[in-house]
Amino acid sequence: MLNKMTALIKPVEHFYQAQSSRDQRMLLLLLVSLTLALIWFVIITPLNNQRALQQSQANQAEQQYQWLLSQAPALQALQQINADKGDSPQNLSSLISNSSREFGLGITRLETTGGSNDPGVRVTLNNAEFNQVVLWLGELSLQYGIRVAQVQATNPNSQGRADIVLNLVRTD
């Protein structure tokens, strides 16, 4: 590799030596100018551009952070409203629907029962695996305080499946 470099430099050196002293100074000045331009355009400019981009991203992040801080009271108010509505039939229905999916149960029908003072939900499960239903009801009772007010199972089969209708209510 060193031999190749020497082979490339030799003709340039001969060319330089063949020039007058004035031309040699001009060639040195040209070489220095080209080196400085190369450093400027290959190293300094990309670094400056990257720094400006990072500064812009930092400013955006700071603005988003300030906006989030300004929205915190509104979010806390919404959380309080949702906590106050914890016993609403709609929230009870959502809770039951979401938790049933976790246990692999497909709800065929879900309807609210009772009034706003005593919300409940009627759940219909077709061809549901009875053991999964029992586990799910245990989870609802332990985690969310939801109990079974009434249950009706029809069409049981030998594989432990049945059509089940449940009336569920939240206990206080």
Side-chain angles (χ1 to χ4, degrees):
M1 173 113 173
L2 187 59
N3 289 336
K4 288 182 182 179
M5 292 289 288
T6 306
L8 290 174
I9 294 175
K10 273 289 195 208
V12 173
E13 186 178 349
H14 287 300
F15 173 77
Y16 179 75
Q17 295 296 332
Q19 303 300 316
S20 67
S21 66
R22 179 175 170 247
D23 288 344
Q24 286 179 354
R25 283 190 298 250
M26 292 303 285
L27 286 172
L28 281 176
L29 182 62
L30 178 64
L31 179 63
V32 169
S33 299
L34 288 175
T35 303
L36 290 175
L38 185 66
I39 290 172
W40 180 263
F41 288 111
V42 173
I43 297 174
I44 295 175
T45 300
L47 286 175
N48 281 338
N49 291 343
Q50 185 65 27
R51 186 175 88 33
L53 177 65
Q54 288 177 347
Q55 185 65 41
S56 172
Q57 290 172 343
N59 289 340
Q60 282 181 330
E62 177 66 26
Q63 288 173 353
Q64 288 175 349
Y65 175 71
Q66 293 302 327
W67 180 83
L68 284 173
L69 286 178
S70 72
Q71 298 303 313
L75 290 172
Q76 289 171 346
L78 283 173
Q79 284 177 333
Q80 184 61 39
I81 290 170
N82 286 338
D84 292 344
K85 290 184 177 180
D87 291 337
S88 73
Q90 182 179 10
N91 284 345
L92 188 59
S93 297
S94 297
L95 179 70
I96 289 170
S97 177
N98 292 337
S99 67
S100 70
R101 276 189 236 115
E102 293 175 15
F103 283 84
L105 300 171
I107 294 178
T108 307
R109 186 172 181 185
L110 183 71
E111 58 184 295
T112 59
T113 59
S116 60
N117 294 337
D118 187 26
V121 176
R122 179 174 291 130
V123 179
T124 304
L125 304 162
N126 288 338
N127 197 28
E129 186 179 339
F130 190 74
N131 289 337
Q132 283 300 105
V133 173
V134 171
L135 290 173
W136 174 55
L137 293 173
E139 176 78 12
L140 288 176
S141 176
L142 291 173
Q143 292 293 323
Y144 307 107
I146 298 172
R147 67 174 176 81
V148 177
Q150 183 179 7
V151 65
Q152 177 183 0
T154 57
N155 299 330
N157 63 32
S158 62
Q159 286 109 12
R161 294 184 170 273
D163 295 338
I164 301 172
V165 178
L166 303 162
N167 285 343
L168 303 174
V169 294
R170 190 182 297 259
T171 58
D172 293 328

